[in-house]
Amino acid sequence: MNMNLGCLLLSLIGLVNLALGSPGDWLDEFIDCRESCEIIRSCSDPSTDAPDHHNGFDLSYFDETPVFLRKCLLWDCESDCDYQCQQIVTILRIENGEEIYQFHGKWPFKRMFGIQELYSTLFSIANFVPHYRGFKILRSELKKLSHYDKSGILLDKYVYVSIAGMLAWTASSIFHLRDFIVTEKLDYFFAGATVLSGFHAIFIRIFRLDKHDNLRHLFCGTVILIFLMHILRLYLDWSYTYNMRFNVAFGVLQYLLLLTLSYRNYVHLKSQPKSRSSPYASQAQMTWQLCTVPLLLVVGTSLAMSCELFDFFSYTWQIDSHAIWHACTILPSWKLYDFFIRDYRYLKHRCNSLAE
Ligand SMILES: [Zn+2]
């Protein structure tokens, strides 16, 4: 299940901002402040003269960029002036009781410990953990199988989901730590990879392509081709709208597949005599794990994603709706892998019962 759709939804919300610029970008005081900062700090050419007009920031004091930020996180003089002026203007607006504005499509976060968006970064790192755990438990489940057990194909596909998840959340952590064009694009590319890997794995599970080698290879090849074409399309002509549509389309397909799986498990469980459903858990437990959990995953992540639509930001707490969305996806990712494993074991139990 794609937990990174939130980033993409944010990009859709930010689309208008990118086309028109954020309201903060066009504030006179912000433009004046940046101009003064760049002159006072001699950002470009040390011999540049002061402008012939005066603005309220001529005598302001601007900090020098700390060495660590300059060398390790590549904050140059201009980007640091931009940052300092966002802070100065925002504090002035708060003091005057005015609305807080976004700059360049983002809220004016304070750098903390050198991190551009502290909470989004921390929650992105936290989101890495369930995918890493998923990777470990899937690998140990695979190790229990004999080499000839073809049911391992399904587990292999889930392993790819966990790898894509780990890559995506690493990219997201880096992007929220320091926002560059390249870190932003990596975040989007890997988000695309997670959506496709989830779609691919659940599709194979539902249509039991693990039992049909040729069809599966054809399907895998098609998905890889779709991803390569997607990357090529973005490389040739970067488009936020297209990227958003692509990810939402496959994200929604993935949710529909998961709901289908939940329903099919429900129908199957109901059709079974109670004693045959599983030797390990009661029917109620099985219904919860195999039907209700995937349903809650879809409903929960969709609801959490909708919190992005409110685009909330607190300067005091330095948190926004995007960070809260990232916090909301940790538990569902954790539960997703538990579901994959339980569904896999149930499927295997069903196949073994039929074989007996
Ligand atoms: Zn994000």
Side-chain angles (χ1 to χ4, degrees):
M1 165 137 32
N2 170 46
M3 303 302 173
N4 246 352
L5 273 179
C7 274
L8 299 152
L9 192 63
L10 184 76
S11 70
L12 182 70
I13 296 162
L15 209 64
V16 183
N17 288 342
L18 283 159
L20 305 171
S22 298
D25 303 355
W26 305 107
L27 287 173
D28 287 341
E29 55 268 42
F30 180 60
I31 295 166
D32 287 347
C33 174
R34 274 175 53 181
E35 187 181 64
S36 296
C37 175
E38 287 179 20
I39 289 166
I40 291 168
R41 288 185 55 188
S42 308
C43 280
S44 42
D45 180 1
S47 63
T48 311
D49 292 330
D52 43 17
H53 68 278
H54 288 281
N55 66 49
F57 299 95
D58 286 345
L59 301 173
S60 301
Y61 175 77
F62 295 99
D63 292 318
E64 285 300 313
T65 317
V67 180
F68 166 72
L69 296 183
R70 193 156 36 88
K71 297 237 160 123
C72 300
L73 294 170
L74 309 178
W75 284 93
D76 60 14
C77 189
E78 282 90 356
S79 61
D80 195 39
C81 274
D82 190 290
Y83 165 76
Q84 289 192 43
C85 287
Q86 287 187 25
Q87 295 304 309
I88 291 168
V89 168
T90 300
I91 290 166
L92 282 174
R93 290 183 70 81
I94 292 171
E95 283 170 1
N96 294 335
E98 291 169 303
E99 192 188 340
I100 298 177
Y101 278 166
Q102 287 195 343
F103 298 85
H104 319 306
K106 283 199 166 189
W107 292 111
F109 288 98
K110 273 191 257 183
R111 264 186 325 228
M112 287 192 271
F113 314 108
I115 298 171
Q116 210 167 346
E117 290 175 72
L118 180 72
Y119 289 107
S120 284
T121 309
L122 290 179
F123 294 141
S124 294
I125 295 169
N127 269 288
F128 179 91
V129 178
H131 292 279
Y132 177 69
R133 171 186 166 269
F135 177 78
K136 299 287 276 183
I137 56 174
L138 287 163
R139 297 279 300 167
S140 69
E141 191 80 12
L142 266 168
K143 277 192 194 138
K144 292 182 205 160
L145 301 179
S146 77
H147 190 63
Y148 301 100
D149 193 338
K150 285 192 78 179
S151 70
I153 291 170
L154 281 178
L155 292 174
D156 265 335
K157 301 302 172 191
Y158 296 144
V159 168
Y160 292 134
V161 177
S162 68
I163 294 172
M166 287 190 283
L167 287 171
W169 286 108
T170 305
S172 172
S173 307
I174 297 169
F175 168 57
H176 289 303
L177 170 74
R178 182 73 173 97
D179 174 6
F180 286 118
I181 301 237
V182 62
T183 57
E184 182 191 31
K185 292 195 170 169
L186 280 177
D187 188 33
Y188 291 147
F189 285 149
F190 285 119
T194 55
V195 190
L196 275 181
S197 68
F199 164 75
H200 161 255
I202 305 170
F203 189 96
I204 288 177
R205 159 65 184 90
I206 289 199
F207 295 100
R208 296 307 314 269
L209 295 189
D210 51 310
K211 295 201 274 191
H212 306 279
D213 290 351
N214 289 342
L215 274 178
R216 188 179 66 256
H217 293 150
L218 183 69
F219 176 69
C220 294
T222 310
V223 172
I224 291 170
L225 192 66
I226 291 173
F227 185 63
L228 293 177
M229 297 299 281
H230 170 63
I231 299 292
L232 184 68
R233 161 70 175 82
L234 286 174
Y235 177 75
L236 294 175
D237 174 25
W238 181 266
S239 157
Y240 286 92
T241 319
Y242 157 75
N243 188 38
M244 183 67 203
R245 283 182 185 154
F246 176 91
N247 286 288
V248 166
F250 282 99
V252 169
L253 275 175
Q254 189 183 202
Y255 284 6
L256 291 176
L257 288 175
L258 208 55
L259 290 175
T260 310
L261 187 53
S262 155
Y263 176 71
R264 282 182 24 179
N265 279 344
Y266 180 77
V267 170
H268 194 272
L269 275 170
K270 286 289 158 209
S271 68
Q272 292 300 302
K274 288 194 174 173
S275 56
R276 281 202 58 191
S277 47
S278 166
Y280 313 111
S282 71
Q283 184 131 13
Q285 279 174 316
M286 299 291 288
T287 309
W288 170 259
Q289 291 166 352
L290 299 171
C291 316
T292 318
V293 166
L295 183 73
L296 289 178
L297 285 174
V298 173
V299 174
T301 27
S302 307
L303 278 179
M305 202 153 65
S306 66
C307 89
E308 286 255 56
L309 294 172
F310 296 104
D311 211 9
F312 148 89
F313 172 65
S314 159
Y315 190 76
T316 318
W317 298 97
Q318 285 296 302
I319 199 160
D320 69 339
S321 39
H322 187 73
I324 293 169
W325 148 255
H326 281 342
C328 291
T329 58
I330 304 166
L331 185 66
S333 304
W334 192 280
K335 292 284 167 201
L336 180 69
Y337 291 102
D338 288 343
F339 167 72
F340 281 159
I341 295 268
R342 281 182 184 132
D343 174 69
Y344 165 77
R345 285 180 187 161
Y346 177 58
L347 189 69
K348 217 176 160 201
H349 165 70
R350 271 160 60 182
C351 296
N352 290 345
S353 310
L354 281 175
E356 277 164 15

